[in-house]
Amino acid sequence: MTERTPVYGLDAQGIATSATVHWNLITAPLVEAAIRRGEGVLANGGPLVVATGAHTGRSAQDKFTVRDAQTEDTIWWGKSNKAMTPDHFAALKADFMAALGARDTLFVQDLFGGSQPEHRVRVRVVNELAWHSLFIRTMLVRPEAAELADFVPDYTIIDLPSFVADPARHGCRSQTVIAVNFTEKLILIGGTKYAGEMKKSVFGLLNYLLPAQGIMPMHCSANIGPKGDTAVFFGLSGTGKTTLSADASRTLIGDDEHGWSDTAVFNFEGGCYAKMIRLSAEAEPEIFATTKRFGTVLENVVIDPDTRALDLDDARLAENSRGAYPIDFIPNTSAANMGPVPRNIVMLTADAYGVLPPIAKLTPDQAMYHFLSGYTARVAGTEIGVTEPEATFSTCFGAPFMPRHPSVYGNLLKERIAKGGVDCWLVNTGWTGGKYGTGQRMPIKATRALLNAALDGSLNDAEFRTDPNFGFAVPVAVPGVDSAILDPRETWADKEGYDATAARLVDQFVENFAQFAEHVDDGVRQSAPKVTIPA
């Protein structure tokens, strides 16, 4: 089981272990190993089903970056990027190496982060769990066999769920730790079985490296239209990013993480990581079909131990149940994981306040403003008894994964929009006719019709009005769409209620953007919303 062993092994990296090391195993032997080792079970149809225990999502508060000469002035230190001292990391690394040396079995994958060859990073991932090795092999870009023989990693990830961190010794917060050292090109993950930590560590790595090369890293989905026109979809969880980009008439590049170079939009990954909870064959048939395939890894999905039938509606293990599968499990995907530079950018928001129109066209300055804002609004928990939505601002539509200051990404986006003459759209998939509790969810049929008109270019010929609060252009009429929903104020029975709610939302935008104001030019600052009370 030592297939595809590289010349440059762990010993060449200073990693000493007496463990049996399984190099670059493919799907079948990894599934066999996971089952043999009691890490998971097979469900009907062939997917591997695993449980991640206490950690069913990312441990954002347990992630640290080493603060040293390289990172002192390049990392956006604060809530999303917490510092660890070099001495604390040295202690952590020493304890990780000791833990590796004590293992009897290790699984190693040599992989690429990034599908465009000239902009990818070589990543070696060392795991103690077979299913983790299968997960990361599924999610990243897999080298050809010939590329593995002389593979030398740029960065290494060591993931040991059994490792117990010591906050006093390691300078961390709890017994779980994710520590990133850009100088040593090493990422250590301990105390969590949630496999998504590995995937997002590579995303964060590329988000740090690529801007220095003039490449725009993006937390987005992307697809290609029949005329070769690429569209990019930014959006936080629950805004429709995956659903709206999975269009049978367009070719999927990827569902989560991409780079925008001078010549292409390229997927960082070779797989998809989709939410499984309450997934239905009717609503998302392509993703549902992956739950019946060998090679899919299902995390925290409830399975009947006798019949091996899945219950995707059961959230007893996690509301964030997930499935990882190769991207080619989805029909009509890009073989190269790449497409042309974008013709359209779509920023998705689920505005539970019912203030934003279903679609608006943005200038480059407005696009940068809304990109840095990263707005959506959510309703809490089960939503029972909730009367007021909660605004959420996650800059760049992915603040936890952005090591550099948001203005770095915002300026890159603005430059590329201007250079390529890209059309930018803000699409509200949230509420209309009132805020949550009074109004109703934006009809998906209307959203798709508006989006199709934007992507095929016909919406550019529409008559537009200027939104009095946000200043962006809103179509007055679009074929196939009820014109009544295009002006959100007119959909509210209580016009004064709309005005008051809009004023509160504008205040929240302005308050949130204050942190970026000194880092952007005047055109972007002037794109801020301004309350205008109708006569």
Side-chain angles (χ1 to χ4, degrees):
M1 290 181 64
T2 53
E3 303 173 2
R4 302 175 176 82
T5 306
V7 174
Y8 189 86
L10 294 179
D11 54 345
Q13 297 180 260
I15 298 175
T17 179
S18 58
T20 300
V21 180
H22 301 303
W23 287 92
N24 296 307
L25 295 182
I26 61 175
T27 301
L30 284 170
V31 172
E32 290 170 354
I35 293 172
R36 184 175 61 251
R37 291 157 54 90
E39 297 175 7
V41 297
L42 284 184
N44 285 345
L48 179 68
V49 181
V50 298
T52 64
H55 296 272
T56 60
R58 290 185 309 103
S59 299
Q61 298 305 311
D62 295 308
K63 179 173 176 279
F64 299 86
T65 301
V66 175
R67 191 167 190 162
D68 57 18
Q70 178 178 333
T71 59
E72 176 67 38
D73 298 323
T74 55
I75 295 292
W76 182 41
W77 301 109
K79 180 180 178 182
S80 296
N81 296 295
K82 294 178 289 296
M84 175 178 282
T85 68
D87 287 346
H88 278 135
F89 185 85
L92 181 67
K93 178 182 175 182
D95 292 347
F96 256 77
M97 294 306 164
L100 276 179
R103 295 291 174 275
D104 57 11
T105 306
L106 293 172
F107 300 87
V108 184
Q109 293 287 337
D110 288 334
L111 300 158
F112 296 131
S115 298
Q116 190 167 16
E118 56 267 44
H119 301 304
R120 66 193 181 192
V121 63
R122 296 183 296 273
V123 181
R124 173 166 288 171
V125 186
V126 182
N127 294 116
E128 64 177 334
L129 296 178
W131 84 260
H132 270 194
S133 191
L134 174 60
F135 172 91
I136 200 62
R137 183 180 185 276
T138 300
M139 291 308 306
L140 294 187
V141 178
R142 296 165 287 282
E144 299 294 333
E147 296 175 302
L148 289 171
D150 58 356
F151 190 98
V152 178
D154 299 314
Y155 285 80
T156 298
I157 297 173
I158 301 175
D159 189 340
L160 302 177
S162 64
F163 185 87
V164 179
D166 179 349
R169 174 170 165 76
H170 302 136
C172 53
R173 187 188 70 102
S174 72
Q175 294 182 338
T176 297
V177 65
I178 302 95
V180 181
N181 190 321
F182 286 108
T183 300
E184 295 192 26
K185 299 184 176 183
L186 180 63
I187 299 172
L188 304 175
I189 303 172
T192 173
K193 284 187 180 180
Y194 183 67
E197 296 288 8
M198 294 182 286
K199 158 189 156 68
K200 288 304 184 186
S201 291
V202 176
F203 185 37
L205 176 62
L206 288 164
N207 285 341
Y208 180 76
L209 297 174
L210 292 181
Q213 305 171 32
I215 310 301
M216 174 67 187
M218 303 177 292
H219 186 211
C220 68
S221 59
N223 62 25
I224 312 168
K227 297 179 181 178
D229 55 303
T230 297
V232 165
F233 300 80
F234 292 103
L236 299 172
S237 179
T239 59
K241 178 164 59 85
T242 298
T243 299
L244 292 173
S245 63
D247 184 331
S249 68
R250 299 176 66 88
T251 299
L252 182 67
I253 301 173
D255 77 331
D256 198 30
E257 302 165 3
H258 295 81
W260 181 354
S261 70
D262 289 338
T263 58
V265 167
F266 61 97
N267 195 348
F268 286 169
E269 302 180 308
C272 299
Y273 194 37
K275 286 186 177 181
M276 291 288 132
I277 193 67
R278 291 177 286 278
L279 186 71
S280 74
E282 293 74 28
E284 297 184 87
E286 294 87 1
I287 298 175
F288 185 86
T290 69
T291 68
K292 306 294 184 183
R293 293 192 63 168
F294 180 80
T296 293
V297 181
L298 298 176
E299 293 179 337
N300 303 315
V301 171
V302 174
I303 180 174
D304 187 296
D306 298 320
T307 67
R308 302 297 177 91
L310 302 174
D311 186 349
L312 300 178
D313 295 326
D314 192 330
R316 78 179 76 167
L317 295 179
E319 182 69 24
N320 187 40
S321 59
R322 292 270 180 169
Y325 48 86
I327 192 170
D328 58 15
F329 278 17
I330 300 294
N332 196 24
T333 55
S334 166
N337 265 7
M338 293 192 293
V341 295
R343 183 68 191 87
N344 288 277
I345 287 175
V346 179
M347 298 183 189
L348 300 168
T349 180
D351 176 26
Y353 289 102
V355 167
L356 297 179
I359 196 166
K361 189 171 186 180
L362 308 177
T363 66
D365 283 333
Q366 290 169 341
M368 183 173 175
Y369 184 93
H370 285 277
F371 178 71
L372 290 176
S373 298
Y375 166 72
T376 193
R378 293 171 174 160
V379 290
T382 60
E383 304 178 357
I384 296 174
V386 175
T387 59
E388 192 65 30
E390 178 184 351
T392 299
F393 294 93
S394 183
T395 186
C396 308
F397 295 97
F401 320 118
M402 303 297 168
R404 297 182 183 270
H405 191 277
S407 61
V408 172
Y409 308 104
N411 282 315
L412 270 172
L413 181 69
K414 184 181 174 183
E415 289 166 10
R416 291 201 167 276
I417 288 171
K419 182 178 179 180
V422 181
D423 286 333
C424 300
W425 309 91
L426 183 70
V427 172
N428 175 22
T429 61
W431 272 253
T432 182
K435 61 186 177 183
Y436 170 80
T438 302
Q440 57 279 340
R441 197 71 190 257
M442 195 73 68
I444 184 66
K445 183 178 179 181
T447 299
R448 287 195 179 278
L450 291 167
L451 190 56
N452 289 340
L455 299 186
D456 68 20
S458 62
L459 191 54
N460 286 318
D461 299 325
E463 177 187 352
F464 287 85
R465 65 176 179 85
T466 299
D467 184 272
N469 295 311
F470 285 84
F472 41 48
V474 181
V476 174
V478 178
V481 177
D482 181 1
S483 295
I485 72 167
L486 296 175
D487 186 343
R489 187 175 190 269
E490 292 306 310
T491 68
W492 282 53
D494 178 6
K495 301 297 190 289
E496 291 184 357
Y498 173 87
D499 295 336
T501 303
R504 285 197 298 274
L505 182 58
V506 165
D507 285 344
Q508 290 180 84
F509 263 89
V510 172
E511 179 182 355
N512 172 74
F513 200 82
Q515 62 186 310
F516 307 124
E518 65 180 282
H519 301 282
V520 300
D521 60 33
D522 192 56
V524 178
R525 286 192 291 271
Q526 292 303 314
S527 296
K530 304 171 184 66
V531 174
T532 303
I533 303 297

